[in-house]
């Protein structure tokens, strides 16, 4: 029941942001995002599992010559699930300093150092550590009208070590990219779209859940509520874990929001 209440709290926070006004000085940024989804993955162990996530990202940018930016960031993240597994019921915080390069063609690449803290709520286990990382993010309209765009978006990163406080020789690489096609259907107030995504995770330790290839196809409805973007997704996933020779196929639904201040 506690995890369900946390999931409802995420929805309440998201719906509360449209009327929230916050003026930030030049160079400062704040993003709030979150969502509720079920199941978390498509395996039998996760059947009917409901998970929620709430993230706050604060940044301070300094312009460097050319397309370069120096960025200080702080992240607070809260994860819950009805299954109650300790590694998915956590509070965490991160402080970092990264250098970012914005490419005209295909998104932003960044690299830097982060110090993180994580607490597993059920067990009380606390972990801290320094991680080095290389990240890429992209959101680019490649065709279509403004009301029905075709968009390529996604993210990827590689982290050393793979987990906070982990072996310094360990690493984890992961990412997901998608192409979506929007449609204009009147008199719908929501913006509908179809999308196809590909994702992968690799690690040095050889953990089954960290060595997989995921393909998904689905539909999305998106709304603008003030300055908050809200989305509802239904998708089919094919999760292939190639080291353990496991294959999971199933449906996932998600309600999410994102607010840029």
């Amino acid at each position: 029941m506690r995890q369900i209440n946390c999931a409802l709290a995420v929805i309440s926070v998201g719906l509360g942001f449209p009327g929230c006004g916050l003026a930030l000085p030049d160079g400062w940024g704040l993003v709030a995002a979150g969502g509720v989804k079920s199941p978390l993955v498509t395996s039998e162990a996760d059947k009917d599992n409901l998970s929620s996530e709430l993230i706050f990202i604060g940044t301070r940018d300094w312009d460097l010559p050319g397309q370069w930016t120096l960025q200080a960031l702080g992240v607070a993240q809260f994860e819950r699930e009805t299954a109650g597994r300790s590694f998915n019921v956590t509070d965490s915080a991160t402080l970092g300093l990264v250098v970012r390069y914005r490419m005209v063609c295909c998104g932003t690449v960044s690299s830097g150092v982060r110090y993180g803290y994580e607490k597993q709520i059920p067990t009380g286990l606390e972990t801290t550590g320094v991680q080095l990382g290389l990240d890429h993010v992209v959101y680019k309209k490649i065709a279509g009208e403004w009301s029905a765009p075709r968009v390529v978006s996604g993210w990827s990163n590689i982290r050393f070590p793979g987990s906070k406080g982990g072996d310094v020789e360990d690493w984890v690489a992961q990412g997901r990219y998608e192409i979506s096609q929007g449609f204009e259907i009147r008199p719908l107030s929501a913006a509908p779209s179809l999308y196809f995504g590909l994702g992968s995770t690799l690690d040095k330790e050889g953990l089954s859940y960290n060595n997989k290839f995921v393909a998904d196809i689905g539909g999305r409805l998106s709304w603008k509520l003030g300055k908050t973007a809200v989305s509802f997704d239904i998708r089919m996933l094919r999760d292939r874990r190639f080291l353990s020779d496991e294959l999971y196929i199933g449906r996932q639904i998600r309600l999410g929001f994102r607010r840029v201040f």
Side-chain angles (χ1 to χ4, degrees):
M1 179 62 67
R2 181 183 304 172
Q3 284 78 23
I4 294 176
N5 290 338
C6 289
L8 294 175
V10 170
I11 298 174
S12 299
V13 170
L15 295 178
F17 272 122
C20 178
L22 180 63
L24 297 174
D26 289 344
W28 293 81
L30 176 63
V31 175
V36 180
K37 61 184 176 183
S38 180
L40 181 61
V41 295
T42 54
S43 67
E44 279 298 316
D46 271 305
K47 185 178 180 181
D48 300 324
N49 186 27
L50 176 68
S51 64
S52 62
E53 181 181 52
L54 182 60
I55 306 174
F56 298 94
I57 305 174
T59 57
R60 174 63 167 98
D61 291 347
W62 293 272
D63 292 333
L64 300 176
Q67 301 297 107
W68 295 88
T69 305
L70 178 66
Q71 183 180 81
L73 74 155
V75 182
Q77 184 171 354
F78 310 92
E79 295 181 290
R80 300 292 187 269
E81 68 168 12
T82 54
R85 294 168 297 188
S86 58
F87 54 84
N88 280 332
V89 183
T90 63
D91 294 341
S92 61
T94 302
L95 295 175
L97 187 66
V98 300
V99 176
R100 307 168 70 238
Y101 179 73
R102 184 179 299 277
M103 300 176 287
V104 176
C105 66
C106 43
T108 300
V109 175
S110 61
S111 181
V113 59
R114 297 173 173 87
Y115 176 80
Y117 163 85
E118 181 180 272
K119 181 177 181 179
Q120 296 183 359
I121 305 305
T123 64
L125 177 65
E126 296 181 325
T127 308
T128 61
V130 175
Q131 288 181 308
L132 302 177
L134 178 64
D135 300 80
H136 174 252
V137 294
V138 63
Y139 183 91
K140 185 178 181 65
K141 189 179 82 170
I142 57 175
E145 302 296 330
W146 69 272
S147 58
R150 184 175 305 151
V151 174
V152 171
S153 61
W155 60 272
S156 59
N157 63 56
I158 181 168
R159 306 186 304 274
F160 304 89
S163 60
K164 300 177 182 66
D167 183 347
V168 293
E169 296 184 357
D170 181 35
W171 53 264
V172 172
Q174 61 185 142
R176 179 184 178 276
Y177 293 88
E178 75 170 39
I179 181 168
S180 65
Q181 175 62 60
F183 300 92
E184 184 175 7
I185 302 178
R186 298 180 178 179
L188 281 180
S189 58
S193 61
L194 297 176
Y195 61 89
F196 172 70
L198 294 174
S200 184
T201 304
L202 301 170
D203 79 346
K204 183 180 179 182
E205 290 185 322
L207 300 173
S208 173
Y209 56 83
N210 270 344
N211 288 272
K212 63 183 180 179
F213 183 81
V214 180
D216 60 271
I217 185 169
R220 177 181 297 128
L221 291 175
S222 304
W223 295 265
K224 274 284 192 179
L225 302 177
K227 294 185 178 180
T228 300
V230 179
S231 61
F232 177 74
D233 293 61
I234 300 178
R235 60 176 174 168
M236 292 295 299
L237 298 94
R238 186 182 190 275
D239 183 335
R240 177 69 176 182
R241 303 183 182 187
F242 42 84
L243 291 185
S244 57
D245 197 28
E246 297 173 276
L247 175 62
Y248 301 119
I249 299 176
R251 182 189 73 249
Q252 185 182 79
I253 60 174
R254 181 181 188 273
L255 175 65
F257 78 93
R258 177 180 172 86
R259 170 70 155 92
V260 180
F261 293 90

